[in-house]
C-alpha cells in the first residue's frame, strides 16, 4: 500500500487512474499478496490525506481569479515537527562571530529593534524554563530580568537588566 501511494504521489510523475488500474492488475497477475482494489486504494489515500495531509484552501483574488494555497499553519507545524527541518529553524537573533551580517537573524532589526513580544519568549535551560521580562536568579546569586534571547557561538545568552536591591528595599536596574 505504501509503495502504491508513493508511486501515485510522485511530484513530477502524474499517474492516471487507468495506469494505476494497470499497476494493480499486474501486481495481482504476479501473485503479490494483499493487492487492494482501485477503490480501496483511493479510500485509504483519502483517509490518510484527511488525517495527516496539508489542507488546500480555495481563495479568490481581487480580480475574481480562483486559486488554491496550502494552509500555512499546517506547513509551519509540519516544519517544527520534523527533526531534520527543526534543527535549521532560527528562534533567537544571532551575534555573528566576525560581526558580518549574512542572514536575517544577524541583523539589527532582530537583535535590537524588533518588539520583544514578537520574538521567542522562552529559553529552556538545563534545569528550568526562563521567560522574558521575568526575574531570574543567576548562578552567582545576582538577579536579572531577561529582555531578549540571543545566540553567540551556538550558545544562548540573554540581553538582561541587572537588578540591585538595597537595604531600603529599593530596586534599581542597570
Amino acid at each position: 500500500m505504501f509503495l502504491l501511494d508513493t508511486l501515485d504521489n510522485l511530484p513530477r510523475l502524474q499517474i492516471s487512474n487507468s495506469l494505476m488500474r494497470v499497476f494493480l492488475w499486474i501486481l495481482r497477475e504476479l501473485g503479490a499478496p494483499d493487492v487492494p482494489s482501485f477503490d480501496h486504494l483511493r479510500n485509504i489515500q483519502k483517509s490518510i490525506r484527511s488525517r495527516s495531509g496539508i489542507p488546500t484552501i480555495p481563495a479568490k483574488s481581487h480580480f475574481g481569479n480562483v486559486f488554491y494555497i496550502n494552509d500555512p499553519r499546517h506547513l509551519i507545524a509540519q516544519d517544527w515537527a520534523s527533526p531534520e527541518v527543526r534543527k535549521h529553524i532560527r528562534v533567537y537573533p544571532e551575534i555573528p562571530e566576525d560581526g558580518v551580517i549574512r542572514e536575517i537573524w544577524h541583523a539589527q532589526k532582530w537583535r535590537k529593534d524588533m518588539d520583544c513580544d514578537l520574538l521567542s519568549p522562552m529559553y529552556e535551560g538545563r534545569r528550568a524554563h526562563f521567560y522574558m521580562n521575568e526575574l531570574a536568579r543567576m548562578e552567582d546569586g545576582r538577579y536579572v530580568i531577561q529582555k531578549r534571547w540571543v545566540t553567540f557561538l551556538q550558545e544562548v545568552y540573554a540581553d538582561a537588566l541587572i537588578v540591585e536591591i538595597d537595604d531600603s528595599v529599593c530596586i534599581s536596574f542597570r
Side-chain angles (χ1 to χ4, degrees):
M1 189 68 76
F2 170 76
L3 293 175
L4 287 171
D5 185 55
T6 301
L7 181 66
D8 199 30
N9 288 293
L10 291 173
R12 290 192 164 78
L13 179 65
Q14 293 288 321
I15 304 265
S16 67
N17 288 343
S18 301
L19 186 56
M20 182 53 74
R21 288 178 198 273
V22 170
F23 288 154
L24 294 172
W25 175 78
I26 290 172
L27 288 171
R28 274 190 227 96
E29 289 296 313
L30 291 173
D34 301 323
V35 177
S37 69
F38 178 76
D39 291 333
H40 184 64
L41 173 66
R42 290 296 186 235
N43 287 336
I44 296 259
Q45 286 177 319
K46 188 185 295 183
S47 170
I48 291 170
R49 203 171 297 117
S50 69
R51 282 184 288 144
S52 60
I54 296 175
T56 301
I57 303 168
K60 196 176 216 180
S61 74
H62 181 68
F63 297 108
N65 299 322
V66 176
F67 61 96
Y68 297 86
I69 60 170
N70 291 335
D71 189 341
R73 297 168 299 181
H74 285 83
L75 291 169
I76 292 168
Q78 193 174 53
D79 286 346
W80 278 86
S82 168
E84 290 301 313
V85 176
R86 169 61 186 94
K87 65 185 174 188
H88 299 290
I89 296 175
R90 304 296 179 145
V91 292
Y92 306 119
E94 185 175 321
I95 300 170
E97 185 176 356
D98 57 6
V100 177
I101 296 173
R102 293 184 185 87
E103 304 288 349
I104 182 100
W105 51 85
H106 293 161
Q108 171 99 4
K109 182 175 182 178
W110 261 39
R111 288 181 42 212
K112 301 283 183 195
D113 300 337
M114 188 175 279
D115 181 2
C116 292
D117 292 332
L118 300 175
L119 296 172
S120 296
M122 185 203 71
Y123 169 68
E124 181 181 0
R126 288 173 288 214
R127 293 171 286 195
H129 293 142
F130 298 95
Y131 295 89
M132 291 191 320
N133 298 321
E134 286 191 359
L135 190 65
R137 185 172 182 226
M138 295 179 28
E139 290 177 351
D140 65 5
R142 293 182 298 158
Y143 289 96
V144 295
I145 295 177
Q146 300 85 223
K147 298 310 289 176
R148 82 175 66 231
W149 304 107
V150 296
T151 58
F152 180 66
L153 298 176
Q154 299 179 345
E155 292 286 326
V156 177
Y157 296 90
D159 279 344
L161 299 173
I162 296 174
V163 177
E164 293 181 351
I165 304 172
D166 62 21
D167 294 333
S168 65
V169 193
C170 182
I171 299 173
S172 59
F173 304 105
R174 280 194 290 151

